[in-house]
Short mmCIF file of all heavy atoms in Angstrom, two decimals:
data_model
loop_
_atom_site.label_atom_id
_atom_site.label_comp_id
_atom_site.label_asym_id
_atom_site.label_seq_id
_atom_site.Cartn_x
_atom_site.Cartn_y
_atom_site.Cartn_z
N LEU A 214 -11.42 5.50 -2.52
CA LEU A 214 -12.41 5.50 -1.44
C LEU A 214 -12.31 6.75 -0.55
O LEU A 214 -13.26 7.15 0.09
CB LEU A 214 -12.18 4.34 -0.49
CG LEU A 214 -12.54 2.94 -1.10
CD1 LEU A 214 -12.14 1.83 -0.17
CD2 LEU A 214 -14.00 2.87 -1.47
N PHE A 215 -11.19 7.45 -0.61
CA PHE A 215 -10.99 8.63 0.17
C PHE A 215 -11.22 9.93 -0.60
O PHE A 215 -10.82 11.02 -0.14
CB PHE A 215 -9.52 8.60 0.71
CG PHE A 215 -9.26 7.48 1.65
CD1 PHE A 215 -8.70 6.25 1.23
CD2 PHE A 215 -9.72 7.59 3.01
CE1 PHE A 215 -8.55 5.23 2.05
CE2 PHE A 215 -9.45 6.52 3.86
CZ PHE A 215 -8.90 5.36 3.39
N ARG A 216 -11.83 9.87 -1.72
CA ARG A 216 -12.09 11.05 -2.50
C ARG A 216 -12.91 12.09 -1.85
O ARG A 216 -12.66 13.24 -1.97
CB ARG A 216 -12.80 10.66 -3.81
CG ARG A 216 -12.91 11.92 -4.72
CD ARG A 216 -13.42 11.43 -6.07
NE ARG A 216 -13.51 12.56 -6.99
CZ ARG A 216 -14.64 13.16 -7.39
NH1 ARG A 216 -15.78 12.70 -6.93
NH2 ARG A 216 -14.58 14.17 -8.18
N ARG A 217 -13.81 11.66 -0.98
CA ARG A 217 -14.65 12.63 -0.24
C ARG A 217 -13.86 13.40 0.75
O ARG A 217 -14.29 14.42 1.23
CB ARG A 217 -15.69 11.86 0.51
CG ARG A 217 -16.55 10.99 -0.37
CD ARG A 217 -17.89 11.64 -0.62
NE ARG A 217 -18.80 10.74 -1.37
CZ ARG A 217 -19.17 10.98 -2.58
NH1 ARG A 217 -18.91 12.14 -3.11
NH2 ARG A 217 -19.96 10.12 -3.16
N MET A 218 -12.66 12.96 1.09
CA MET A 218 -11.79 13.67 2.04
C MET A 218 -10.71 14.58 1.30
O MET A 218 -9.83 14.97 1.93
CB MET A 218 -11.07 12.70 2.91
CG MET A 218 -11.93 11.83 3.71
SD MET A 218 -10.97 10.54 4.46
CE MET A 218 -11.59 10.56 6.11
N PHE A 219 -11.00 14.80 0.05
CA PHE A 219 -10.00 15.53 -0.73
C PHE A 219 -10.00 17.00 -0.41
O PHE A 219 -11.01 17.71 -0.60
CB PHE A 219 -10.31 15.31 -2.25
CG PHE A 219 -9.38 16.08 -3.23
CD1 PHE A 219 -8.10 15.89 -3.17
CD2 PHE A 219 -9.96 17.00 -4.09
CE1 PHE A 219 -7.22 16.56 -4.07
CE2 PHE A 219 -9.19 17.68 -4.95
CZ PHE A 219 -7.82 17.47 -4.94
N TYR A 220 -8.88 17.51 0.04
CA TYR A 220 -8.70 18.88 0.38
C TYR A 220 -7.39 19.31 -0.29
O TYR A 220 -6.36 18.69 -0.21
CB TYR A 220 -8.61 19.19 1.84
CG TYR A 220 -9.90 18.78 2.63
CD1 TYR A 220 -9.88 17.67 3.43
CD2 TYR A 220 -11.03 19.51 2.40
CE1 TYR A 220 -11.06 17.27 4.08
CE2 TYR A 220 -12.15 19.11 3.06
CZ TYR A 220 -12.17 18.03 3.93
OH TYR A 220 -13.30 17.61 4.51
N SER A 221 -7.45 20.51 -0.86
CA SER A 221 -6.23 20.92 -1.64
C SER A 221 -5.04 21.34 -0.82
O SER A 221 -3.91 21.03 -1.16
CB SER A 221 -6.62 22.11 -2.50
OG SER A 221 -6.99 23.22 -1.72
N ASP A 222 -5.26 21.91 0.33
CA ASP A 222 -4.18 22.43 1.11
C ASP A 222 -3.58 21.39 2.08
O ASP A 222 -2.58 21.68 2.73
CB ASP A 222 -4.60 23.68 1.85
CG ASP A 222 -5.78 23.39 2.77
OD1 ASP A 222 -6.52 22.40 2.55
OD2 ASP A 222 -6.04 24.21 3.70
N LYS A 223 -4.17 20.25 2.18
CA LYS A 223 -3.72 19.24 3.12
C LYS A 223 -2.87 18.22 2.31
O LYS A 223 -3.33 17.63 1.40
CB LYS A 223 -4.91 18.47 3.73
CG LYS A 223 -5.89 19.34 4.42
CD LYS A 223 -5.28 20.07 5.64
CE LYS A 223 -6.36 20.83 6.33
NZ LYS A 223 -5.85 21.95 7.06
N VAL A 224 -1.66 18.05 2.74
CA VAL A 224 -0.66 17.17 2.05
C VAL A 224 -0.55 15.85 2.83
O VAL A 224 -0.17 14.85 2.17
CB VAL A 224 0.73 17.87 1.97
CG1 VAL A 224 1.70 16.98 1.25
CG2 VAL A 224 0.58 19.21 1.17
N PHE A 225 -0.94 15.82 4.07
CA PHE A 225 -0.80 14.59 4.85
C PHE A 225 -1.60 13.49 4.34
O PHE A 225 -1.16 12.36 4.27
CB PHE A 225 -1.16 14.94 6.30
CG PHE A 225 -1.09 13.75 7.19
CD1 PHE A 225 0.16 13.23 7.59
CD2 PHE A 225 -2.20 13.08 7.60
CE1 PHE A 225 0.25 12.10 8.34
CE2 PHE A 225 -2.16 11.97 8.42
CZ PHE A 225 -0.94 11.42 8.83
N MET A 226 -2.88 13.76 3.92
CA MET A 226 -3.75 12.71 3.51
C MET A 226 -3.26 12.05 2.25
O MET A 226 -3.18 10.78 2.19
CB MET A 226 -5.15 13.28 3.31
CG MET A 226 -6.23 12.17 3.06
SD MET A 226 -6.36 11.16 4.55
CE MET A 226 -7.63 10.09 4.07
N PRO A 227 -2.96 12.73 1.10
CA PRO A 227 -2.44 12.07 -0.07
C PRO A 227 -1.12 11.29 0.20
O PRO A 227 -0.91 10.26 -0.37
CB PRO A 227 -2.30 13.17 -1.14
CG PRO A 227 -2.38 14.38 -0.42
CD PRO A 227 -3.10 14.14 0.87
N MET A 228 -0.27 11.91 1.00
CA MET A 228 1.00 11.22 1.31
C MET A 228 0.75 9.95 2.08
O MET A 228 1.39 8.87 1.82
CB MET A 228 1.92 12.17 2.10
CG MET A 228 3.32 11.59 2.27
SD MET A 228 4.40 12.76 3.11
CE MET A 228 3.84 12.55 4.80
N SER A 229 -0.20 9.96 3.00
CA SER A 229 -0.58 8.76 3.78
C SER A 229 -1.19 7.73 2.89
O SER A 229 -0.88 6.49 3.01
CB SER A 229 -1.60 9.06 4.90
OG SER A 229 -0.98 10.04 5.74
N ILE A 230 -2.03 8.13 1.93
CA ILE A 230 -2.66 7.17 1.03
C ILE A 230 -1.63 6.53 0.13
O ILE A 230 -1.59 5.32 -0.11
CB ILE A 230 -3.76 7.89 0.21
CG1 ILE A 230 -4.89 8.17 1.14
CG2 ILE A 230 -4.15 7.02 -0.94
CD1 ILE A 230 -5.97 9.01 0.49
N VAL A 231 -0.66 7.31 -0.38
CA VAL A 231 0.45 6.73 -1.22
C VAL A 231 1.25 5.72 -0.35
O VAL A 231 1.63 4.65 -0.82
CB VAL A 231 1.34 7.88 -1.76
CG1 VAL A 231 2.61 7.31 -2.35
CG2 VAL A 231 0.57 8.69 -2.78
N PHE A 232 1.55 6.06 0.86
CA PHE A 232 2.25 5.23 1.83
C PHE A 232 1.54 3.92 2.02
O PHE A 232 2.12 2.80 1.90
CB PHE A 232 2.43 5.95 3.13
CG PHE A 232 3.41 5.37 4.07
CD1 PHE A 232 4.72 5.53 3.95
CD2 PHE A 232 2.90 4.59 5.16
CE1 PHE A 232 5.67 4.97 4.84
CE2 PHE A 232 3.82 4.04 6.07
CZ PHE A 232 5.19 4.22 5.89
N ILE A 233 0.21 3.97 2.27
CA ILE A 233 -0.52 2.74 2.49
C ILE A 233 -0.72 1.96 1.24
O ILE A 233 -0.62 0.69 1.28
CB ILE A 233 -1.90 3.15 3.13
CG1 ILE A 233 -1.77 3.72 4.54
CG2 ILE A 233 -2.84 1.95 3.13
CD1 ILE A 233 -3.00 4.34 5.11
N CYS A 234 -0.95 2.58 0.11
CA CYS A 234 -1.08 1.81 -1.18
C CYS A 234 0.22 1.14 -1.57
O CYS A 234 0.15 0.03 -2.03
CB CYS A 234 -1.51 2.80 -2.24
SG CYS A 234 -3.25 3.29 -2.17
N ASP A 235 1.34 1.80 -1.31
CA ASP A 235 2.63 1.12 -1.55
C ASP A 235 2.80 -0.04 -0.62
O ASP A 235 3.33 -1.05 -1.03
CB ASP A 235 3.73 2.13 -1.39
CG ASP A 235 4.97 1.70 -2.09
OD1 ASP A 235 4.86 1.03 -3.13
OD2 ASP A 235 6.10 1.91 -1.61
N PHE A 236 2.39 0.08 0.62
CA PHE A 236 2.37 -1.06 1.57
C PHE A 236 1.55 -2.22 1.08
O PHE A 236 1.97 -3.34 1.06
CB PHE A 236 2.02 -0.64 2.93
CG PHE A 236 2.07 -1.68 3.97
CD1 PHE A 236 3.30 -2.14 4.44
CD2 PHE A 236 0.95 -2.24 4.49
CE1 PHE A 236 3.36 -3.16 5.40
CE2 PHE A 236 0.96 -3.25 5.44
CZ PHE A 236 2.25 -3.73 5.85
N ILE A 237 0.32 -1.91 0.62
CA ILE A 237 -0.58 -2.91 0.13
C ILE A 237 0.04 -3.57 -1.12
O ILE A 237 0.03 -4.83 -1.16
CB ILE A 237 -1.93 -2.30 -0.25
CG1 ILE A 237 -2.71 -1.84 0.96
CG2 ILE A 237 -2.80 -3.25 -1.10
CD1 ILE A 237 -3.97 -0.99 0.72
N TYR A 238 0.60 -2.81 -1.99
CA TYR A 238 1.21 -3.36 -3.17
C TYR A 238 2.37 -4.36 -2.78
O TYR A 238 2.44 -5.44 -3.29
CB TYR A 238 1.77 -2.27 -4.08
CG TYR A 238 2.77 -2.75 -5.11
CD1 TYR A 238 2.25 -3.39 -6.23
CD2 TYR A 238 4.12 -2.60 -5.00
CE1 TYR A 238 3.14 -3.90 -7.23
CE2 TYR A 238 4.98 -3.00 -5.93
CZ TYR A 238 4.51 -3.66 -7.08
OH TYR A 238 5.39 -4.10 -7.99
N ASN A 239 3.26 -3.90 -1.86
CA ASN A 239 4.40 -4.77 -1.51
C ASN A 239 3.93 -5.98 -0.77
O ASN A 239 4.58 -7.08 -0.96
CB ASN A 239 5.36 -3.92 -0.70
CG ASN A 239 6.23 -3.07 -1.56
OD1 ASN A 239 6.84 -3.52 -2.49
ND2 ASN A 239 6.31 -1.80 -1.30
N ILE A 240 3.01 -5.89 0.08
CA ILE A 240 2.51 -7.06 0.82
C ILE A 240 1.87 -8.08 -0.12
O ILE A 240 2.13 -9.29 -0.02
CB ILE A 240 1.57 -6.72 1.94
CG1 ILE A 240 2.24 -5.92 3.05
CG2 ILE A 240 0.76 -7.90 2.49
CD1 ILE A 240 3.29 -6.74 3.80
N LEU A 241 1.00 -7.61 -1.01
CA LEU A 241 0.36 -8.52 -1.98
C LEU A 241 1.39 -9.12 -2.90
O LEU A 241 1.35 -10.32 -3.25
CB LEU A 241 -0.72 -7.80 -2.74
CG LEU A 241 -2.00 -7.49 -1.95
CD1 LEU A 241 -2.95 -6.65 -2.80
CD2 LEU A 241 -2.62 -8.75 -1.45
N PHE A 242 2.32 -8.28 -3.35
CA PHE A 242 3.43 -8.81 -4.19
C PHE A 242 4.26 -9.84 -3.44
O PHE A 242 4.60 -10.88 -4.05
CB PHE A 242 4.34 -7.66 -4.66
CG PHE A 242 5.25 -7.96 -5.79
CD1 PHE A 242 4.77 -8.01 -7.09
CD2 PHE A 242 6.57 -8.29 -5.50
CE1 PHE A 242 5.69 -8.31 -8.13
CE2 PHE A 242 7.45 -8.62 -6.50
CZ PHE A 242 6.96 -8.66 -7.85
N TYR A 243 4.53 -9.60 -2.23
CA TYR A 243 5.34 -10.58 -1.45
C TYR A 243 4.52 -11.90 -1.31
O TYR A 243 5.13 -12.97 -1.47
CB TYR A 243 5.67 -10.05 -0.04
CG TYR A 243 6.31 -11.04 0.85
CD1 TYR A 243 7.63 -11.37 0.71
CD2 TYR A 243 5.56 -11.68 1.83
CE1 TYR A 243 8.24 -12.30 1.56
CE2 TYR A 243 6.18 -12.66 2.65
CZ TYR A 243 7.47 -12.96 2.50
OH TYR A 243 8.13 -13.94 3.30
N ILE A 244 3.23 -11.80 -1.01
CA ILE A 244 2.44 -13.02 -0.83
C ILE A 244 2.39 -13.83 -2.14
O ILE A 244 2.62 -15.02 -2.11
CB ILE A 244 1.03 -12.65 -0.34
CG1 ILE A 244 1.16 -12.19 1.06
CG2 ILE A 244 0.08 -13.84 -0.43
CD1 ILE A 244 -0.18 -11.56 1.62
N ILE A 245 2.10 -13.12 -3.28
CA ILE A 245 1.95 -13.89 -4.47
C ILE A 245 3.27 -14.33 -5.10
O ILE A 245 3.30 -15.47 -5.58
CB ILE A 245 1.24 -12.93 -5.52
CG1 ILE A 245 -0.20 -12.67 -5.05
CG2 ILE A 245 1.20 -13.55 -6.87
CD1 ILE A 245 -0.94 -11.65 -5.79
N ARG A 246 4.32 -13.57 -4.94
CA ARG A 246 5.56 -13.95 -5.59
C ARG A 246 6.48 -14.83 -4.70
O ARG A 246 7.31 -15.54 -5.20
CB ARG A 246 6.35 -12.68 -6.04
CG ARG A 246 5.61 -11.89 -7.12
CD ARG A 246 5.51 -12.62 -8.38
NE ARG A 246 6.89 -12.76 -8.94
CZ ARG A 246 7.15 -13.22 -10.10
NH1 ARG A 246 6.17 -13.66 -10.83
NH2 ARG A 246 8.35 -13.29 -10.54
N PHE A 247 6.43 -14.59 -3.42
CA PHE A 247 7.42 -15.26 -2.58
C PHE A 247 6.81 -16.34 -1.67
O PHE A 247 7.35 -17.43 -1.61
CB PHE A 247 8.20 -14.26 -1.69
CG PHE A 247 9.04 -13.36 -2.60
CD1 PHE A 247 8.72 -11.97 -2.63
CD2 PHE A 247 10.09 -13.80 -3.26
CE1 PHE A 247 9.47 -11.10 -3.37
CE2 PHE A 247 10.87 -12.98 -4.05
CZ PHE A 247 10.59 -11.61 -4.07
N VAL A 248 5.71 -16.05 -1.01
CA VAL A 248 5.15 -17.01 -0.05
C VAL A 248 4.68 -18.22 -0.83
O VAL A 248 4.82 -19.34 -0.33
CB VAL A 248 3.99 -16.33 0.75
CG1 VAL A 248 3.22 -17.36 1.50
CG2 VAL A 248 4.58 -15.28 1.66
N LEU A 249 4.06 -18.00 -1.96
CA LEU A 249 3.57 -19.21 -2.72
C LEU A 249 4.72 -20.05 -3.25
O LEU A 249 4.51 -21.20 -3.68
CB LEU A 249 2.71 -18.69 -3.92
CG LEU A 249 1.37 -18.02 -3.49
CD1 LEU A 249 0.59 -17.62 -4.67
CD2 LEU A 249 0.54 -19.00 -2.64
N ARG A 250 5.94 -19.52 -3.29
CA ARG A 250 7.08 -20.29 -3.63
C ARG A 250 7.97 -20.74 -2.42
O ARG A 250 9.06 -21.13 -2.59
CB ARG A 250 8.00 -19.51 -4.60
CG ARG A 250 7.33 -19.32 -5.94
CD ARG A 250 8.25 -18.74 -6.99
NE ARG A 250 8.74 -17.46 -6.55
CZ ARG A 250 9.82 -16.88 -6.97
NH1 ARG A 250 10.60 -17.49 -7.82
NH2 ARG A 250 10.15 -15.68 -6.54
N ASN A 251 7.28 -20.60 -1.26
CA ASN A 251 7.95 -21.08 -0.01
C ASN A 251 9.20 -20.27 0.38
O ASN A 251 10.13 -20.82 0.96
CB ASN A 251 8.20 -22.57 0.04
CG ASN A 251 8.22 -23.13 1.41
OD1 ASN A 251 7.78 -22.45 2.39
ND2 ASN A 251 8.85 -24.30 1.53
N LYS A 252 9.22 -19.02 0.03
CA LYS A 252 10.38 -18.15 0.44
C LYS A 252 9.77 -17.26 1.52
O LYS A 252 9.11 -16.24 1.22
CB LYS A 252 10.92 -17.36 -0.70
CG LYS A 252 11.52 -18.26 -1.78
CD LYS A 252 12.24 -17.51 -2.85
CE LYS A 252 12.75 -18.53 -3.80
NZ LYS A 252 13.82 -18.03 -4.62
N LEU A 253 10.05 -17.56 2.78
CA LEU A 253 9.38 -16.97 3.90
C LEU A 253 10.17 -16.02 4.70
O LEU A 253 9.83 -15.78 5.88
CB LEU A 253 8.81 -18.11 4.77
CG LEU A 253 7.92 -19.09 4.03
CD1 LEU A 253 7.55 -20.22 4.99
CD2 LEU A 253 6.67 -18.44 3.52
N ASP A 254 11.20 -15.35 4.25
CA ASP A 254 11.97 -14.43 5.03
C ASP A 254 11.35 -13.04 4.93
O ASP A 254 11.86 -12.14 4.31
CB ASP A 254 13.39 -14.44 4.56
CG ASP A 254 14.34 -13.77 5.52
OD1 ASP A 254 13.93 -13.41 6.63
OD2 ASP A 254 15.54 -13.61 5.16
N PHE A 255 10.17 -12.88 5.60
CA PHE A 255 9.41 -11.62 5.49
C PHE A 255 10.13 -10.47 6.14
O PHE A 255 10.10 -9.31 5.60
CB PHE A 255 8.02 -11.81 6.14
CG PHE A 255 7.21 -10.56 6.14
CD1 PHE A 255 6.65 -10.13 4.96
CD2 PHE A 255 6.96 -9.84 7.30
CE1 PHE A 255 5.93 -8.94 4.94
CE2 PHE A 255 6.25 -8.62 7.25
CZ PHE A 255 5.71 -8.21 6.06
#
């Protein structure tokens, strides 16, 4: 979704996107793998 903001010399944006995507992955993984099995130590 952020392809339109693609600039070669800016490193902050891709690093932020990797940071956010990893957060999304871990939150969804936690919800699916742990919350559904009633392991709630978030």
Side-chain angles (χ1 to χ4, degrees):
L214 292 175
F215 295 96
R216 182 171 187 255
R217 303 258 185 241
M218 302 169 133
F219 177 59
Y220 300 108
S221 63
D222 56 344
K223 307 293 184 204
V224 179
F225 178 74
M226 190 66 176
M228 191 176 74
S229 301
I230 289 172
V231 169
F232 191 81
I233 292 168
C234 285
D235 198 36
F236 181 73
I237 290 169
Y238 166 75
N239 280 308
I240 291 297
L241 290 175
F242 192 81
Y243 174 77
I244 289 170
I245 293 170
R246 297 293 293 187
F247 296 113
V248 171
L249 294 178
R250 292 189 298 156
N251 203 21
K252 297 189 179 198
L253 303 174
D254 196 5
F255 178 72

